[in-house]
Amino acid sequence: ISVNRKVIRITARDSPNVRLALAQIAAGLEPTGEIIIPGVLTWDEYQHRLATWDEQRKAVGLDAIFYEGRENLLFPPSWIQQAERLAESLGPRRAETIGIDTAEGADNTVMVAADKHGLIELISKKTPDTSVIPGEAIAFMRKHNVKPENVLFDRGGGGKEHADTLRRMGFQVRTVAFGESVSLEPKRGMTGFTERFENREERYVYKNRRAQMYHELSLRAFAITRKERELLRQLSLIPKETDEEGRIFVRPKTRKPREKETNRKTLTEIIGHSPDEADACVLAVHGMMVKAKVVATGF
């Protein structure tokens, strides 16, 4: 059976609001940004997307064409756009978990507070004096009223040492090693979307904890405000892959010292620097999915 199909492409430039501005420019006038039809793409928003979206997002979201890049993405344009829209629709919320990716040198120390709906606050800064990190972590916990057992540190990059310092002070924070193997763990009792997410997530097999945590985030409807452009950019570049055994795989942050140079780039090479914001975000999400195994004291 042969089926004839006619594909109609409706691009961003077909928005009446955008068409008006383009017509004004063609006439030598300054675009007024007038909104002819509310709820349809505006000229100002069109300009914002042109300036901030990568080529893949422009191809799909503005030009209505299928992106023909070489790789599938773990966080495709549709996921990024949904994250931005969801952030616009939410009111005040209360943080449930915090993810902290610590660093020294050129990388950033990042702290992310989140709830089941999405990101609430992200702080990213250079910490050449790493001794300030435990104190800043305590201040961030108190600001968002998050219990220490719901605070997760990346174990690498000095994270274990900072977590040990906090534990000696009575703050029983958790640590996660991105490269560790994955085993089934007890999950928090949640309702609604998270229950459906957990039922889906259990079917997958992961190469390591990094793959699990990034995939956990990719399965969720998760709000990220548009102002967090760097986080959105990092997520939008991560390939969706499986290894030779069919396990879900996310590339490592850096190449191991003795590992030979290959055509497969690391996350740092793909993104242009360490994915600190993305790592802190997935740590916060993972904290909502996995029960704490300690009881915090002194907070």
Side-chain angles (χ1 to χ4, degrees):
I1 300 175
S2 63
V3 178
N4 295 320
R5 294 181 179 177
K6 184 176 182 180
V7 178
I8 300 175
R9 290 175 53 229
I10 301 176
T11 72
R13 295 168 70 91
D14 292 318
S15 163
N17 305 322
V18 175
R19 284 209 310 267
L20 172 63
L22 292 173
Q24 290 171 332
I25 292 172
L29 303 174
E30 187 74 20
T32 61
E34 180 182 347
I35 299 177
I36 298 175
I37 301 180
V40 180
L41 183 68
T42 66
W43 173 249
D44 288 343
E45 179 60 23
Y46 177 64
Q47 289 297 295
H48 172 79
R49 294 179 183 182
L50 282 177
T52 61
W53 282 11
D54 58 40
E55 292 307 312
Q56 181 186 25
R57 293 186 70 192
K58 290 178 184 177
V60 177
L62 298 182
D63 299 328
I65 60 176
F66 292 106
Y67 183 71
E68 296 181 352
R70 293 178 298 170
E71 298 167 327
N72 292 323
L73 297 172
L74 192 57
F75 301 93
S78 59
W79 192 98
I80 300 293
Q81 292 164 19
Q82 181 187 44
E84 293 177 347
R85 287 196 301 267
L86 183 58
E88 293 173 355
S89 67
L90 296 174
R93 292 131 61 204
R94 183 175 179 274
E96 299 175 33
T97 58
I98 289 173
I100 301 179
D101 182 68
T102 64
E104 54 190 357
D107 295 340
N108 286 355
T109 289
V110 183
M111 301 184 187
V112 165
D115 67 2
K116 63 184 178 181
H117 299 295
L119 185 145
I120 292 175
E121 185 180 16
L122 183 152
I123 294 176
S124 178
K125 61 189 294 187
K126 296 283 190 286
T127 49
D129 178 6
T130 58
S131 67
V132 306
I133 293 175
E136 294 191 358
I138 292 171
F140 198 65
M141 282 185 246
R142 286 177 170 158
K143 176 181 180 180
H144 290 282
N145 195 28
V146 172
K147 295 180 179 180
E149 66 264 31
N150 294 328
V151 176
L152 281 71
F153 278 78
D154 175 10
R155 199 170 296 164
K160 181 182 183 303
E161 290 76 10
H162 297 308
D164 288 343
T165 297
L166 287 166
R167 288 166 181 159
R168 287 194 295 270
M169 298 169 67
F171 299 93
Q172 298 301 317
V173 298
R174 290 190 270 165
T175 63
V176 176
F178 278 76
E180 69 185 1
S181 60
V182 178
S183 58
L184 292 177
E185 297 170 296
K187 299 287 182 70
R188 289 178 184 261
M190 291 187 177
T191 59
F193 177 83
T194 303
E195 283 185 348
R196 297 195 299 274
F197 160 78
E198 289 175 359
N199 290 337
R200 293 166 61 195
E201 192 268 340
E202 290 292 354
R203 298 183 313 209
Y204 295 98
V205 179
Y206 302 105
K207 181 176 177 65
N208 55 25
R209 188 70 67 195
R210 176 178 293 278
Q212 180 192 21
M213 292 196 296
Y214 272 90
H215 196 247
E216 284 175 344
L217 177 58
S218 75
L219 292 177
R220 296 179 69 104
F222 192 80
I224 302 175
T225 180
R226 185 177 298 150
K227 72 177 184 179
E228 301 300 347
R229 294 177 183 174
E230 177 56 27
L231 171 60
L232 291 169
R233 185 187 74 85
Q234 291 177 17
L235 294 175
S236 72
L237 295 173
I238 298 174
K240 182 178 182 180
E241 300 173 287
T242 56
D243 67 5
E244 61 280 357
E245 297 178 26
R247 298 173 298 182
I248 291 174
F249 169 79
V250 171
R251 301 187 190 194
K253 182 186 293 190
T254 57
R255 208 176 302 280
K256 294 178 181 179
R258 296 184 179 181
E259 188 176 353
K260 294 181 179 179
E261 192 81 15
T262 66
N263 291 329
R264 175 173 282 183
K265 295 181 178 180
T266 64
L267 285 185
T268 297
E269 291 168 337
I270 291 172
I271 291 169
H273 56 74
S274 179
D276 305 314
E277 286 76 10
D279 280 357
C281 184
V282 299
L283 280 165
V285 172
H286 189 66
M288 284 182 276
M289 306 311 304
V290 180
K291 288 183 178 180
K293 298 178 182 178
V294 296
V295 176
T297 59
F299 183 71

